Each structure stands twice: as C-alpha cells, then as structure tokens.
Amino acid sequence: MPNPWVFCRFGVILHTESMLTATLIAQEIGGTISPTNADVIIDNAAKLEEGGANSLGFFSNPKYEQSLYQTQCGTVIVPQGFVPQQPVRSVLIEHANPYFAFCTVLTRHFNPNVHRTGIESQHIHPTVKIGHSVHVAATAYIEEGAQIGDNCILYPGVYVGRNVVLGNNTLLYPNVTVYADCLIGKHCIIQAGSVIGGDGFGFAPVNGKYMKIPQIGNVVLEDWVEIGSNCSIDRATMGSTVIKTGTKLDNLVQIAHNVEIGEHTVLAAQTGIAGSTKVGAYAQFGGQVGVAGHLTIAPHTSVGGQGGITGNVTEPHQKLTGTPATDVRTYLKSVASTRRIPELLKAIEEIKSEIARLKSEE
C-alpha cells in the first residue's frame, strides 16, 4: 500500500487519497475563483516567492503585490474585489480575509501534527483516566490521579504530575512538564520544554537569610490557550495562576505566581510578568516587556517592545511604550527632545560665552 502522506520540499504534508484542487479549496473557504473553470491540483502550500505550479499561496499585504505578479504558485488566495494591475499566471481565489482562509486550508490539509493514537508509555499510574483516541508516547510519564481527555497527544518526555487534568484535544510537545494539580483546558497547545506549575518565586527574609514559602496553589490554563517553547508559568502560592481562554504566549515568557492573564491576550517573546499582577483581556505585549508585581492592567492595553510597566494602567485601549511605560505619542516627543540635547547644550554654551563677553566690556 502506498504511503498516503507525502512530504514536499516546502515542509508541509498533504493527504493524497483525496485530490485537492483550487475549485475544492474555493468551495471550502467560501471564496470566489477566477477563472471559474480552473481545476489546478494543489499538493503543497508555499510563500509566493517559493511556490510552484501545484502550490497554494496567499496575498493580503499591498507591500507584496509585485510578488503576486512574479509568483509561480498555481493558486493564490487574494482579497475580495482585488483587481490585478499586471498579468497574473495564478488561479485567484477571492476571500474577505485571505490570511485567515489560507490558515484554514493549512490546518485542514497541510497540518504536520497528524493525529495519532495509541498508548506506548509504560509509565502511567493505574489510577490515571485516559479518554478516547489518545496518544501517549513511549517516554511520557503520568502520575497518579491524572485525567487525560479525548484526542490528546503527549509527545516523548512529557511529564504529567499528580491530579493534573488535560482537556480534550490538548497537545503537549516533547519535554513539557505539568506539575501536580494543574488544570489544562480543551484545545490547548504547549510547545516543547515549557514548565507549567513550577514553584513561584516566594521567599521570606529571616535573620539575614531567605526561607522558602511553600507554593501550594496551582496553574489553570483555560480553553484554546497556546504556550510557546521554554516558557515558565509558576504555580500560585495559594489559589491559582490563571491564563484565560484564547490567550497566546510566545517563546521564553515568564509568568509569576498568582498572575491572572485575561482572555485573548498575546504576549511576545521574553516578556516577564511579576507576581499577583492582573492583565486585562485583549492586551498585547511586545517582546521583552516587563511588568512589576501587584499591578492591574486594563483590558485592550498595548505595550511596545522592551516597555516597562511600573504602575497600574487604569484606562483601557492605551498604547504604551518605554520605561516607565507611557503613551506612545508622549514617548516619541520625549525621544525627539532628547535628540536635541547636544544642540541645546551648544546653544547654552554660546549664550554663556556671550554673557561673559558683555560683562567684560562693561
């Protein structure tokens, strides 16, 4: 029997038992195809600059319009109502949101995370409850009382502690560690090397030394949360550290004990949030943002890369940057003023010289 999975040079996979065509893609995403009689076969997805006759690409940013006219992709998803200004070789599929449509096709036809089933590990405690269609790789380790939901995938090296609950359709990549009593929702993805539920950074000064404060809480990830690789989300001292529904963390993000991250928030790489801070829903933090502890950040707050938040943000929909973080426009004015300092210092010296000259002439 031939292998139904084909790896192409663009690093995506296509199931070959059902032929995928431009017409079928247009029907699946609700797009309009031009020309309407096109029947291009699609067997891979690619960037416009790298595609071939059987590649699917997408175009949404006007900056890359020239790439559309030069591409070899057989089919390209473009914005609704797009009118080419030059000849286009590709079959075009119009859609209101080309990027979203392209991602939908990738998920359905080119997803490298092919669902697998089967329990390979010999290190699963007898009390563990495992749902239907679950895959547990050979070197995964699951402690007593844990519950693994339907369709979960645990890659090699995953550790699941006592009484941990994994919701349905959750995916743990290699070497993910989930400490005891943590709760992971449905449709979550945790990338390789991340640690969920390690001890919070809690120490009490006693006689010139630091005594460890037991961290007896847990971490709760709600549904549709994605955690990048090598992130650390610390368990609460008491209660829960909470990452709410739909939130996405980039790689190398640190979330301290008792932090609460609101729904559908995105945190870019190397962001760090100190203990007991509450971040509102739909916040957006750029790379290397730092947030002090015991603060409240209003919903829809955007913070530019390397911004430092040292006080409460009480008004929603603010765009902040700099350290201490301030309104973007104020910050840019400050930067512009700073650049003028050499010029101003020179002017001051000239004024001082003129004053000294006038005094000498008295």
Side-chain angles (χ1 to χ4, degrees):
M1 178 182 295
N3 182 0
W5 299 98
V6 176
F7 289 80
C8 77
R9 70 184 181 93
F10 303 104
V12 293
I13 318 171
L14 176 65
H15 195 292
T16 58
E17 289 181 347
S18 56
M19 190 69 68
L20 185 63
T21 65
T23 301
L24 178 59
I25 289 174
Q27 293 172 351
E28 288 183 348
I29 64 176
T32 303
I33 192 168
S34 176
T36 56
N37 62 348
D39 202 20
V40 177
I41 295 173
I42 303 298
D43 63 15
N44 68 83
K47 297 194 298 184
L48 293 179
E49 298 84 355
E50 298 177 352
N54 299 115
S55 300
L56 173 70
F58 83 99
F59 161 71
S60 62
N61 189 331
K63 285 172 45 178
Y64 302 105
E65 185 168 342
Q66 196 59 39
S67 297
L68 175 64
Y69 304 133
Q70 298 171 354
T71 188
Q72 300 296 316
C73 286
T75 303
V76 179
I77 304 174
V78 299
Q80 192 75 44
F82 173 73
V83 178
Q85 301 303 305
Q86 299 179 30
V88 178
R89 303 181 185 89
S90 312
V91 171
L92 302 183
I93 301 176
E94 295 184 23
H95 192 275
N97 189 334
Y99 186 48
F100 173 77
F102 185 72
C103 291
T104 300
V105 176
L106 291 183
T107 300
R108 186 172 298 174
H109 297 287
F110 301 99
N111 192 346
N113 298 312
V114 180
H115 185 72
R116 61 192 74 184
T117 59
I119 308 301
E120 300 172 357
S121 176
Q122 302 297 313
H123 305 289
I124 301 175
H125 195 275
T127 60
V128 173
K129 296 180 180 178
I130 298 179
H132 301 291
S133 301
V134 169
H135 175 67
V136 182
T139 55
Y141 198 109
I142 307 178
E143 297 272 20
E144 63 181 302
Q147 300 179 40
I148 312 299
D150 297 343
N151 305 311
C152 287
I153 299 176
L154 280 62
Y155 276 81
V158 166
Y159 172 82
V160 176
R162 295 187 314 278
N163 304 320
V164 165
V165 176
L166 301 184
N168 297 343
N169 304 296
T170 282
L171 171 60
L172 307 186
Y173 278 100
N175 301 317
V176 166
T177 297
V178 184
Y179 280 72
D181 302 317
C182 292
L183 307 178
I184 312 297
K186 301 175 183 177
H187 304 283
C188 291
I189 299 173
I190 304 178
Q191 300 287 344
S194 286
V195 178
I196 312 300
D199 282 353
F201 193 66
F203 299 90
V206 179
N207 299 324
K209 300 179 180 179
Y210 288 95
M211 177 179 292
K212 185 176 181 63
I213 300 172
Q215 307 292 295
I216 62 174
N218 71 345
V219 171
V220 176
L221 305 187
E222 295 185 353
D223 298 342
W224 299 100
V225 169
E226 182 160 352
I227 307 298
S229 61
N230 297 314
C231 294
S232 293
I233 304 177
D234 293 344
R235 70 196 306 107
T237 305
M238 292 179 286
S240 298
T241 300
V242 180
I243 312 296
K244 292 194 172 182
T245 299
T247 288
K248 317 297 183 186
L249 273 60
D250 196 0
N251 305 329
L252 298 167
V253 170
Q254 158 69 18
I255 306 296
H257 58 84
N258 293 94
V259 166
E260 182 179 302
I261 308 294
E263 295 88 346
H264 304 289
T265 287
V266 288
L267 307 179
Q270 298 183 20
T271 288
I273 301 180
S276 299
T277 284
K278 291 179 170 53
V279 178
Y282 296 95
Q284 298 176 325
F285 289 4
Q288 296 185 335
V289 166
V291 184
H294 301 273
L295 301 181
T296 299
I297 311 300
H300 297 275
T301 296
S302 297
V303 185
Q306 296 188 331
I309 300 181
T310 58
N312 293 325
V313 179
T314 57
E315 296 296 325
H317 297 282
Q318 291 198 63
K319 295 183 178 180
L320 310 175
T321 193
T323 302
T326 187
D327 175 75
V328 169
R329 290 168 295 183
T330 301
Y331 175 79
L332 292 176
K333 289 178 182 178
S334 173
V335 170
S337 298
T338 301
R339 290 174 178 171
R340 292 192 59 206
I341 288 176
E343 173 189 343
L344 295 174
L345 290 175
K346 181 180 179 181
I348 290 171
E349 291 300 320
E350 290 175 351
I351 291 171
K352 288 169 63 178
S353 297
E354 181 65 14
I355 292 173
R357 186 186 64 79
L358 292 172
K359 286 183 176 181
S360 66
E361 292 178 355
E362 291 178 355

